[in-house]
Amino acid sequence: MNRVSNDVDNVDNVVTGTLVSIVTNIATIATTLIAMFVLDWKLSLIAIAVVPLMILPLGPVGRRMYVVRKKTREKRDQIESLTQETLSISGITLIKSFVREAYEQTRFYTVSTDLMKLEIRLAMVGRWFIAFISAMIIVGPALVWLGGGYFAIRAGLTIGTIVAFVALLGRLYTPASTLAGIQVQIVSALAVFERIFEYLDMKPEPSGALQLPRVEGKIDFERVEFAYTPERPVLRGIDFHIDPGQVAAFVGPSGAGKTTITQLVPRFYDPQSGRILIDGVDVREVDIDSLRSHIGIVTQETYLFHDTIGANLRYGRVDATQAEIEAAARAANIANFIDTLPEGYDTVVGERGHKLSGGERQRLAIARVLLKDPRILILDEATSSLDSENEALIQTAFEKAMRGRTSLVIAHRLSTILSADVIFVVDGGRIVERGTHRELLERGGTYARLYRTQFEKGSRPTLAPILPGYEHST
Ligand code: ATP
């Protein structure tokens, strides 16, 4: 964010002011030189002799400024991310709960002091260079007076010519020193340009060309291997098939790879080997926007924009009418709640929706995805337990959302698992068991054992606490 806002501002002057300044200064120097040579060529040579001395220190000064400027920009990044992390709602809550105000204050003080020192250094770089240029502006006319006096005595140069010549000198040295300053500015601005271009040069996500106007919703994974980092494989030989309209539940320990599996479908990542097919078409061949337009995602951590409820819902479909929005809210069991708010759909939800409860946020997210009306739905059920009323509201909202769509559910609730058409038990990046609830029970494997433990212990709403190593995930 710093690069797209502050860095762009930072080079603003170099881009806008410099070109005009370069042209006018070069024009002034050229016309002055002509006038000087017309007056007296020998005095002109003396006057020009000083100019290379002005240009000589440009290289080292520019390089030094480039280095310091780069460091100041990096320090600004650090401050930016620090303030963003600590001044966000979640950050403030964390700081307060751990009573870390003083620690954060010190951290901010340290970074901002570092930045102050760097900015001072940046301002001081080349001060001696400016002093040197100023000295040359004084030395130049002195030399001309000296030479002029000599030629007046020896070669009959008139006093009038010398005075006119010295008057012209200002029009030579001032633009020359301005050009020198601009050159240094440009070299140091390169540090900022490089940062901006690093982003502009980023390659867009690879996309296929195939448009998918309609999708049935058949999903196949074929020997999919995936790793975020080469040394740590996360998915090993994932193979499965889901028919259109089926609900597939993924269960397994925390870190097993369930979320990763679902993220490969909309191509947030691509597998290192194997294929993922939608309706028999490799997702890599499909245009990425077209692919994602058919997929809806509801994550555990619902993200809402700091905007009204209506605007957040409309994010699902920008041209949705008010009636459609309200219908989606009703289907997601959130309409009654919205009606109780004084400002209804115009209520602003706060940063990331912090003015709403977790359950309300999730139901809004379901309404938003209902408006999008995708053929494929990815649901990551929240592990946090909600009160039974909220639980039931979300459950029925989920069921409505899944109706008629191919759904991949990272299931934590037993009721979802029981209603799934097929259950995949994921462990260590592999699918260790698969089948319907009944089949898995009859097989008497891991799933059956887990289910019985659950059954014997009485009715628990979630399967999470009984799976070995199955901790609440984030
Ligand atoms: P949970 O139920 O806790 O959400 P999960 O089964 O969904 O777990 P994944 O989120 O798919 O597990 O993670 C699988 C593994 O990949 C984990 O070991 C995790 O540390 C690792 N992992 C996840 N995301 C990344 C990432 N962006 N970069 C590197 N490693 C990651």
Side-chain angles (χ1 to χ4, degrees), residues 228-229 232 234-235 252-261 263 269 300 380 410 412 426 470-474:
Y228 290 99
T229 48
R232 204 167 151 250
V234 172
L235 300 180
S254 179
K258 305 179 294 293
T259 311
T260 309
I261 292 176
Q263 290 195 331
Y269 301 95
Q300 281 193 35
D380 194 351
I410 301 168
H412 294 293
V426 187
Y470 199 126
E471 294 153 8
H472 284 186
S473 56
T474 51

Side-chain angles (χ1 to χ4, degrees), residues 127-378:
R127 286 292 109 179
W128 57 267
F129 161 65
I130 291 170
F132 187 74
I133 286 186
S134 308
M136 286 306 122
I137 291 177
I138 296 165
V139 169
L143 289 178
V144 171
W145 278 119
L146 193 68
Y150 177 81
F151 292 130
I153 295 164
R154 292 289 165 97
L157 192 69
T158 66
I159 302 292
T161 308
I162 300 169
V163 171
F165 201 92
V166 171
L168 279 175
L169 282 182
R171 292 174 60 82
L172 176 70
Y173 294 147
T174 311
S177 66
T178 310
L179 283 180
I182 288 174
Q183 207 263 0
V184 169
Q185 285 301 323
I186 290 177
V187 171
S188 96
L190 285 181
V192 188
F193 276 121
E194 273 172 17
R195 284 162 50 88
I196 297 170
F197 280 109
E198 266 173 33
Y199 271 53
L200 291 180
D201 289 345
M202 271 185 179
K203 291 210 165 40
E205 291 173 305
S207 173
L210 200 68
Q211 297 288 333
L212 288 183
R214 269 192 73 246
V215 159
E216 289 289 321
K218 188 171 68 161
I219 300 177
D220 288 280
F221 271 54
E222 290 180 353
R223 295 178 302 283
V224 170
E225 308 268 338
F226 176 76
Y228 290 99
T229 48
E231 67 281 1
R232 204 167 151 250
V234 172
L235 300 180
R236 307 153 204 248
I238 299 282
D239 248 318
F240 65 77
H241 169 85
I242 307 172
D243 275 327
Q246 273 194 330
V247 174
F250 292 84
V251 299
S254 179
K258 305 179 294 293
T259 311
T260 309
I261 292 176
T262 60
Q263 290 195 331
L264 297 184
V265 182
R267 290 194 69 197
F268 292 152
Y269 301 95
D270 278 333
Q272 275 81 27
S273 72
R275 295 198 305 164
I276 295 155
L277 311 169
I278 290 184
D279 291 354
V281 180
D282 190 328
V283 288
R284 279 173 291 206
E285 288 167 17
V286 182
D287 173 74
I288 210 142
D289 290 352
S290 171
L291 172 73
R292 289 179 185 165
S293 69
H294 296 292
I295 302 172
I297 303 173
V298 179
T299 52
Q300 281 193 35
E301 282 269 310
T302 307
Y303 195 97
L304 295 174
F305 289 111
H306 180 47
D307 205 337
T308 62
I309 291 181
N312 269 294
L313 291 180
R314 203 165 272 120
Y315 210 71
R317 199 170 80 236
V318 277
D319 58 357
T321 62
Q322 186 60 25
E324 286 170 327
I325 287 180
E326 286 173 20
R330 264 196 308 282
N333 292 335
I334 189 72
N336 287 347
F337 164 75
I338 298 172
D339 290 339
T340 64
L341 298 169
E343 292 180 74
Y345 287 84
D346 293 329
T347 310
V348 175
V349 299
E351 186 188 319
R352 299 192 73 154
H354 78 275
K355 290 183 184 166
L356 304 173
S357 80
E360 288 154 4
R361 277 201 293 271
Q362 192 149 37
R363 279 180 280 146
L364 273 183
I366 297 170
R368 183 170 59 186
V369 93
L370 284 175
L371 275 170
K372 186 178 180 184
D373 193 20
R375 281 298 302 153
I376 296 168
L377 193 62
I378 295 171

